[in-house]
Amino acid sequence: METRKKGPSGRPRGFDADQALERAMLVFWEHGYEGASLAALTDAMGISATSVYAAFGNKQELFRKAMERYATGPSDYLVRALEQPTARGVATELLAGTIRTTTRPSGPQGCLGVQGALAASDSGREVRDLLADWRNDSCCRIQERFRRAADEGDLPPGTDPAVLARYVTTLAFGIAVQAASGVCGDELRAMADAALRTWPPV
Amino acid sequence: METRKKGPSGRPRGFDADQALERAMLVFWEHGYEGASLAALTDAMGISATSVYAAFGNKQELFRKAMERYATGPSDYLVRALEQPTARGVATELLAGTIRTTTRPSGPQGCLGVQGALAASDSGREVRDLLADWRNDSCCRIQERFRRAADEGDLPPGTDPAVLARYVTTLAFGIAVQAASGVCGDELRAMADAALRTWPPV
DNA sequence: GAAGTTCCGCATCGATCACTACGGAAATCG
DNA sequence: CGATTTCCGTAGTGATCGATGCGGAACTTC
């Protein structure tokens, strides 16, 4: 499993795979998995369908890679939120990051992990389940962080980390829906500020 | 515009249009607007495509009628919530109704108004905007109810009805996403109880 | 019964879906 | 250079999409 190039490698590909994946992610983000046709994807990526399948497998694999890129790119605020020193900081950073990413002026509105495939036909069931797992995993990671906060005395006694994690992720997913509906960031920030003023909701 | 039957009416339709629309709504609810194919719809409705177009126009019109049925059926908890005597009662009934409808054991999980068309291709843009308007309208009606509550002294001075309405609808939409992810009703109820324990979040 | 109207199953429309076979062009090797 | 390997544009695969034309059957009113 050498990463070095060895042997006759033939003609190298004539496009930037990273840039192509970035553009594919934006199309999936805006139109969802099933709403993004191969024609729309290849058009945005600037390459032919042949190149897409040679470089990424098929549409489903392309979406998986686009989702990974989304998780480590536009959605990396989750990691930064988990690194906050206090539970309140975690919630604050999570909601602020969600609002920032879902209402960015240039780019799709909403969250790829939510609107990528919330409901789908039978052929899109796997992708739908993939995103559901991603959302539940996000909730679990926050729950673990809140459990640690409870152990550290950062949360009032009797606070249930699971309920608290479900609460902040519900707000985050709701923000994603509001953003997809065209609600602006300022209004969502005012809402998040109000919600965080009573923290934690024991 | 008589509702009576007059003149030669020809052969009456051989199916129950109300029942067919109910079944179409369930298919749209589960698979979304674009994820519900005409084949799946006609199969569930028990009638041919010809009958669908004769009775409901086209797929988009069928969805509009299904959405109206959803608003006055499974989603009628919104009206009951708005009729509650206190602002706290409005929020409590809204969240309870949302959880009840989005996690019913038999039937689709989630909310048709959210997952019906959160992201869509170009051909589904009109339906997507229709649902976005429905969501924003729901928020506006709640905002008006909270404004009345503020006038009646039912809310602390300085409370912004718009922010409060955005808060409860964000929770409701988030609940719909959680339900679509397979989260059970009990867990969501515990979360809603915690959120309502600190009310209002001024 | 006769005339008129509507229903609806069958077959199919063109468009688009995700996907791929083919082959010439281009680049890397010895 | 020649040989080899890979890329990728063109064209087209069968399947499915939403939506209809047709015509016989069924039901109405007269």
Side-chain angles (χ1 to χ4, degrees), chain A residues 156-172:
Chain A
T159 306
D160 188 340
V163 172
L164 211 54
R166 198 58 78 182
Y167 173 68
V168 293
T169 54
T170 298
L171 278 176

Side-chain angles (χ1 to χ4, degrees), chain A residues 138-168:
Chain A
S138 300
C139 186
C140 285
R141 291 165 69 183
I142 295 173
Q143 177 180 339
E144 285 306 311
R145 177 64 185 82
F146 283 163
R147 187 181 305 278
R148 201 190 84 195
D151 293 342
E152 292 170 348
D154 185 25
L155 286 170
T159 306
D160 188 340
V163 172
L164 211 54
R166 198 58 78 182
Y167 173 68
V168 293

Side-chain angles (χ1 to χ4, degrees), chain B residues 9-11 14-15 48 50:
Chain B
S9 63
R11 172 181 172 184
F15 62 94
S48 68
T50 312

Side-chain angles (χ1 to χ4, degrees), chain B residues 84-168:
Chain B
Q84 294 297 311
T86 65
R88 170 188 287 272
V90 173
T92 304
E93 185 62 26
L94 176 73
L95 297 186
T98 302
I99 295 171
R100 193 181 342 112
T101 297
T102 59
T103 64
R104 49 170 58 174
S106 68
Q109 295 174 324
C111 170
L112 175 58
V114 173
Q115 67 202 18
L118 199 53
S121 69
D122 294 323
S123 67
R125 181 159 298 169
E126 294 181 30
V127 170
R128 190 199 60 182
D129 293 344
L130 171 76
L131 293 192
D133 290 344
W134 177 81
R135 292 191 296 267
N136 288 329
D137 179 66
S138 300
C139 186
C140 285
R141 291 165 69 183
I142 294 172
Q143 176 180 341
E144 284 306 311
R145 178 64 185 82
F146 283 163
R147 186 181 307 279
R148 200 190 84 194
D151 293 343
E152 293 170 347
D154 185 27
L155 287 171
T159 306
D160 188 340
V163 172
L164 211 54
R166 197 60 77 182
Y167 172 69
V168 293

Side-chain angles (χ1 to χ4, degrees), chain B:
Chain B
M1 294 290 260
E2 299 280 353
T3 55
R4 287 158 143 274
K5 42 188 173 183
K6 57 182 178 183
S9 63
R11 172 181 172 184
R13 67 164 54 109
F15 62 94
D16 185 343
D18 223 52
Q19 179 184 356
L21 182 57
E22 171 76 17
R23 294 180 178 176
M25 181 199 69
L26 290 172
V27 175
F28 280 131
W29 191 352
E30 180 172 358
H31 298 290
Y33 171 64
E34 293 189 316
S37 69
L38 235 349
L41 288 166
T42 56
D43 211 48
M45 298 167 82
I47 58 179
S48 68
T50 312
S51 301
V52 171
Y53 281 85
F56 301 102
N58 56 18
K59 188 185 180 184
Q60 193 168 4
E61 284 301 315
L62 176 62
F63 182 85
R64 296 183 109 92
K65 293 182 172 70
M67 185 60 208
E68 288 177 14
R69 190 180 181 87
Y70 181 81
T72 58
S75 184
D76 66 342
Y77 57 84
L78 173 60
V79 177
R80 287 203 304 276
L82 291 170
E83 293 170 348
Q84 294 297 311
T86 65
R88 170 188 287 272
V90 173
T92 304
E93 185 62 26
L94 176 73
L95 297 186
T98 302
I99 295 171
R100 193 181 342 112
T101 297
T102 59
T103 64
R104 49 170 58 174
S106 68
Q109 295 174 324
C111 170
L112 175 58
V114 173
Q115 67 202 18
L118 199 53
S121 69
D122 294 323
S123 67
R125 181 159 298 169
E126 294 181 30
V127 170
R128 190 199 60 182
D129 293 344
L130 171 76
L131 293 192
D133 290 344
W134 177 81
R135 292 191 296 267
N136 288 329
D137 179 66
S138 300
C139 186
C140 285
R141 291 165 69 183
I142 294 172
Q143 176 180 341
E144 284 306 311
R145 178 64 185 82
F146 283 163
R147 186 181 307 279
R148 200 190 84 194
D151 293 343
E152 293 170 347
D154 185 27
L155 287 171
T159 306
D160 188 340
V163 172
L164 211 54
R166 197 60 77 182
Y167 172 69
V168 293
T169 54
T170 299
L171 279 175
F173 298 153
I175 286 169
V177 175
Q178 301 275 22
S181 311
V183 179
C184 69
D186 289 339
E187 193 168 353
L188 294 175
R189 265 181 286 271
M191 183 272 297
D193 286 348
L196 290 170
R197 223 164 283 142
T198 58
W199 176 270
V202 185

Side-chain angles (χ1 to χ4, degrees), chain A residues 20-92:
Chain A
L21 183 57
E22 171 76 18
R23 293 180 178 176
M25 181 198 68
L26 291 172
V27 175
F28 280 130
W29 191 350
E30 181 173 357
H31 298 290
Y33 171 64
E34 293 190 315
S37 69
L38 231 9
L41 287 165
T42 56
D43 211 49
M45 297 167 83
I47 59 180
S48 68
T50 314
S51 302
V52 171
Y53 281 85
F56 301 102
N58 56 18
K59 188 186 179 183
Q60 191 168 326
E61 283 302 315
L62 176 62
F63 183 85
R64 296 183 110 91
K65 293 182 172 71
M67 185 61 209
E68 289 177 13
R69 189 181 181 86
Y70 181 82
T72 59
S75 182
D76 66 341
Y77 57 83
L78 172 61
V79 178
R80 287 203 306 277
L82 291 170
E83 293 169 348
Q84 294 297 312
T86 65
R88 170 187 288 272
V90 173
T92 303

